[in-house]
């Protein structure tokens, strides 16, 4: 029940992910936050960050490149940012 409350919150405002306790963050919740606001990538745990998630974040918010793990950074992504 509590996770559903947080999920609804990040769907409405992606950067609200920072208010979700780290142990309650899920990959689904992180995706919802990124779809809403690329700035939320900063608050996505490293283990949940995927190449697709990073692309989506950079596409909607170029400065999110700062939080993309080095293994996912490409030349094209840098140009997009």
């Amino acid at each position: 029940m509590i996770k559903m409350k947080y999920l609804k919150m990040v769907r409405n405002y992606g950067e609200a992910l920072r208010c979700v306790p780290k142990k309650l963050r899920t990959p689904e919740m992180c995706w919802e936050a990124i779809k809403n606001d690329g700035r939320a990538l900063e608050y996505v745990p490293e283990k949940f960050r995927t190449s697709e998630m990073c692309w989506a974040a950079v596409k909607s918010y170029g400065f999110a490149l700062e939080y993309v793990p080095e293994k996912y950074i490409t030349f094209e992504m840098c140009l997009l940012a």
Side-chain angles (χ1 to χ4, degrees):
M1 187 68 165
I2 291 174
K3 283 186 182 180
M4 292 303 292
K5 178 182 111 180
Y6 285 125
L7 183 59
K8 185 176 179 181
M9 184 174 68
V10 298
R11 280 184 180 149
N12 292 326
Y13 180 63
E15 206 173 351
L17 186 61
R18 71 175 179 226
C19 300
V20 178
K22 289 181 182 181
K23 64 181 180 179
L24 295 179
R25 295 177 192 173
T26 63
E28 177 191 14
M29 187 181 297
C30 293
W31 257 114
E32 290 297 326
I34 294 298
K35 285 195 288 186
N36 188 297
D37 187 351
R39 292 178 291 185
L41 186 62
E42 177 181 356
Y43 308 107
V44 174
E46 187 88 25
K47 64 183 178 185
F48 295 154
R49 293 180 194 177
T50 63
S51 179
E52 295 82 14
M53 185 182 289
C54 292
W55 267 101
V58 171
K59 191 182 268 188
S60 71
Y61 184 70
F63 290 107
L65 184 63
E66 179 180 349
Y67 304 106
V68 175
E70 194 171 314
K71 63 184 176 185
Y72 296 134
I73 295 177
T74 62
F75 179 73
E76 293 82 11
M77 189 181 286
C78 292
L79 288 177
L80 182 63

